[in-house]
Amino acid sequence: MNESQIDLAHTVALGSIGDEDQRAVADLLESDDPVLRAAFTLEVQQTREALALAASVPAVPPPPALRDRLLAAIATDPPNSIHHPHTALRNGNGRSSYPVRD
């Protein structure tokens, strides 16, 4: 299976498939390649099992000291600037017109 077919299998497993993807799945499952069909079906099944397993794991509260450590780290190393890529102006090469400081 190629990467796009694996992505398609994950989309099927998540239940978030659109009309265009439904046609691609139908084409794949109607393929003359039984190995491809089996691999696709197995990928969907394994992804669903992994999602079910992840959903069944109980949430564990973070250690009590974690919040204090995070706040201390932020206080000692504040960001120089906030970069919002979706609002920055872009030049012809796709990069921000403004310098980004770390």
Side-chain angles (χ1 to χ4, degrees):
M1 278 193 349
N2 64 38
E3 190 173 326
S4 67
Q5 292 165 334
I6 292 170
D7 289 345
L8 188 59
H10 295 169
T11 302
V12 170
L14 286 167
S16 60
I17 190 164
D19 293 341
E20 186 176 317
D21 287 339
Q22 285 180 354
R23 184 68 212 143
V25 169
D27 290 346
L28 199 145
L29 293 176
E30 293 168 2
S31 159
D32 290 333
D33 185 350
V35 174
L36 177 60
R37 288 193 313 264
F40 182 82
T41 303
L42 181 62
E43 186 68 31
V44 171
Q45 177 186 352
Q46 289 176 337
T47 302
R48 285 180 175 157
E49 290 171 1
L51 291 169
L53 180 61
S56 70
V57 175
V60 177
L66 179 61
R67 181 178 190 275
D68 294 334
R69 288 195 327 252
L70 287 172
L71 291 175
I74 292 168
T76 60
D77 190 20
N80 294 356
S81 65
I82 298 174
H83 179 66
H84 298 283
H86 60 279
T87 59
L89 296 176
R90 304 283 176 189
N91 58 26
N93 65 6
R95 295 185 180 158
S96 173
S97 299
Y98 303 104
V100 177
R101 288 171 264 163
D102 292 336

